[in-house]
């Protein structure tokens, strides 16, 4: 198994892409800490914790708002108290408003940036503090995987704060990768294209999905497990000399 004995935190792992990553990591032998503001999946069904335990895996749910430093601190403390170390953190939890520059209120701007940028900053900082106290394994002290978006590279029509936040995550990834490479920290991003998840709003609007289908070279939209596969590669010892990249999982959208 690719993550045998590894300890991983996945934020926003109750639903969607984070849930698929948590399930995949657990199936590959990792002990997974599910960090989310809610435990019930947006798409319905059993919780991520229940699914992992039913499959014989190891997991823990820790209710965490990533925009709250004290909650993030407690998340890492609980992880290390329970499992002894932290090998991987997947920064996946995010929010959006579907508003343009003129529609976006200061409150909406602050909300999106506080989760999508400040939350990623808090989780990365607290994880690296912990990782630097650990002995390296195969030259790696720890790994950060940031879920960005194709909309960190091209604009997200009608979603100003989200798009700005995703652009920031792409640059945050490079900055952490460069600043902490010498200390054995590996930091990469995964940029999904259109991935069908259960979240409400524009993301599941039939017209928007139909446009995405026609715009994507591969003849289907993405699935959460497509992103999980990329996040598995970047978490595993299969990638030990890859850092600072933004790996697109978009069916070829950004190539055309
Ligand atoms: N679905 C797509 O098409 C797509 C495309 C590109 C990028 N992404 C990115 O992938 C990631 C996951 O997207 P998704 O579609 O699975 O979303 P989702 O809305 O289905 O799930 C997001 C999860 O994050 C949790 N969350 C929200 N705010 C939080 C907070 N402050 N603290 C902790 N948890 C919080 C939610 O409760 C939810 O469980 C996001 O970063 C998103 O920007 C998704």
């Amino acid at each position: 198994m690719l993550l045998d004995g590894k300890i991983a935190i996945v934020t926003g792992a109750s639903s969607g892409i984070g849930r698929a990553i948590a399930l995949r990591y657990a199936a590959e032998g990792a002990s997974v800490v599910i960090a989310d503001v809610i435990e019930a999946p947006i798409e319905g069904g059993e919780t991520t914790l229940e699914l992992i335990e039913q499959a014989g895996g190891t997991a823990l749910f820790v209710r965490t708002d990533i925009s709250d430093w004290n909650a993030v601190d407690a998340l890492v403390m609980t992880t290390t108290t329970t499992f002894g170390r932290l090998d991987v953190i997947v920064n996946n939890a995010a929010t959006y408003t579907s508003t343009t520059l003129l529609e976006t209120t200061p409150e909406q701007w602050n909300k999106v940036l506080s989760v999508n940028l400040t939350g990623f900053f808090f989780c990365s900082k607290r994880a690296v503090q912990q990782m630097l106290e650990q002995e390296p394994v195969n030259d790696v002290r720890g790994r950060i995987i940031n879920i960005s978006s194709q909309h960190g590279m091209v604009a997200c029509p009608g979603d100003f704060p989200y798009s700005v936040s995703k652009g920031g995550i792409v640059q945050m990834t490079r900055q952490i990768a460069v600043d902490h490479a010498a200390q054995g920290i590996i930091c990469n991003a995964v940029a999904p294209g259109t991935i069908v998840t259960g979240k409400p709003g524009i993301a599941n609007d039939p017209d928007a999905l139909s446009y995405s289908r026609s715009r994507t070279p591969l003849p289907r939209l993405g699935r959460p497990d497509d992103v999980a596969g990329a996040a598995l590669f970047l978490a595993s010892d299969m990638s030990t000399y890859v850092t600072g990249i933004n790996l697109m999982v978009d069916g070829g959208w950004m190539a055309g």
Side-chain angles (χ1 to χ4, degrees):
M1 291 195 289
L2 288 173
L3 301 182
D4 199 21
K6 302 279 188 206
I7 314 301
I9 292 173
V10 184
T11 71
S14 291
S15 305
I17 291 171
R19 175 174 166 88
I21 293 170
L23 293 172
R24 193 74 173 268
Y25 280 15
E28 290 289 342
S31 298
V32 179
V33 179
I34 301 153
D36 204 304
V37 281
I38 52 158
E39 190 166 15
I42 294 171
E43 55 269 49
E46 288 160 285
T47 66
T48 306
L49 178 67
E50 285 166 345
L51 290 178
I52 290 174
E53 289 184 340
Q54 281 165 20
T58 304
L60 183 69
F61 174 78
V62 180
R63 193 172 306 278
T64 313
D65 178 349
I66 61 162
S67 65
D68 174 350
W69 170 262
N70 290 331
V72 171
D73 182 41
L75 167 69
V76 173
M77 292 288 283
T78 305
T79 302
T80 53
T81 306
T82 310
F83 296 117
R85 63 183 273 139
L86 174 62
D87 296 294
V88 181
I89 186 162
V90 182
N91 288 316
N92 164 81
T95 190
Y96 59 98
T97 56
S98 303
T99 53
T100 63
L101 167 68
L102 297 182
E103 291 162 352
T104 302
T105 64
E107 292 73 25
Q108 287 175 313
W109 169 264
N110 286 337
K111 170 73 183 163
V112 173
L113 274 285
S114 75
V115 177
N116 298 13
L117 270 185
T118 308
F120 278 49
F121 156 53
F122 285 169
C123 288
S124 299
K125 174 170 171 144
R126 190 62 191 82
V128 169
Q129 287 175 336
Q130 169 57 34
M131 289 165 180
L132 293 183
E133 291 179 11
Q134 303 173 172
E135 285 305 309
V137 178
N138 294 331
D139 300 328
V140 178
R141 277 208 167 77
R143 296 166 182 268
I144 298 170
I145 298 166
N146 292 326
I147 306 302
S148 57
S149 173
Q150 66 190 19
H151 293 129
M153 290 165 285
V154 293
C156 184
D159 204 348
F160 172 67
Y162 177 82
S163 184
V164 172
S165 74
K166 290 295 174 177
I169 289 166
V170 176
Q171 188 63 2
M172 191 190 300
T173 303
R174 296 190 192 106
Q175 192 69 43
I176 295 169
V178 168
D179 285 344
H180 294 286
Q183 296 163 304
I185 304 295
I186 286 187
C187 181
N188 291 295
V190 178
T194 302
I195 310 294
V196 180
T197 60
K199 64 187 171 195
I202 183 76
N204 269 313
D205 174 73
D207 290 343
L209 288 180
S210 166
Y211 169 72
S212 292
R213 216 171 273 113
S214 66
R215 176 68 182 77
T216 303
L218 285 178
R220 67 171 175 86
L221 294 177
R223 304 179 187 117
D225 216 37
D226 294 320
V227 184
L232 172 60
F233 166 68
L234 291 172
S236 77
D237 288 342
M238 289 175 73
S239 67
T240 46
Y241 201 60
V242 178
T243 199
I245 66 156
N246 187 29
L247 176 57
M248 286 175 276
V249 180
D250 65 353
W253 181 306
M254 292 296 295

